[in-house]
Amino acid sequence: MKNLAFIVTILLTAGCTKNELTHHITHPTVSSNNPIDAAIYVGVALIIGELSEPCSHGHPDDQLKCKKSRKNNSKDKD
């Protein structure tokens, strides 16, 4: 736990933002013909994309329910 807090502190003091981190993770700086590197970058990009969008994970029926409830909540707030 201390290591994680230390790493987060260093990242925040270095000025790295969430967008910069996701850009560096999903855009390799060195071109390679290694398929394992490609699989890692594609996997990370998919995971980040799935986590960043609300209601984009789980069973399709659950996704529809989540989207409907979010739509109803936004209508209630207006």
Side-chain angles (χ1 to χ4, degrees):
M1 189 65 173
K2 289 181 182 179
N3 290 338
L4 180 63
F6 180 71
I7 291 171
V8 169
T9 303
I10 294 218
L11 288 175
L12 291 175
T13 56
C16 294
T17 63
K18 181 182 175 186
N19 291 336
E20 289 174 355
L21 289 175
T22 55
H23 178 77
H24 288 297
I25 290 173
T26 57
H27 295 83
T29 56
V30 178
S31 54
S32 169
N33 291 331
N34 189 355
I36 293 173
D37 290 341
I40 290 171
Y41 283 112
V42 169
V44 168
L46 289 173
I47 290 170
I48 289 173
E50 286 291 322
L51 294 177
S52 65
E53 297 177 15
C55 301
S56 66
H57 55 281
H59 194 271
D61 291 338
D62 295 335
Q63 291 178 13
L64 290 174
K65 289 177 187 176
C66 177
K67 289 176 184 176
K68 286 180 184 177
S69 67
R70 288 179 62 88
K71 215 181 268 188
N72 289 338
N73 288 340
S74 66
K75 286 180 183 177
D76 291 341
K77 290 181 181 178
D78 291 340

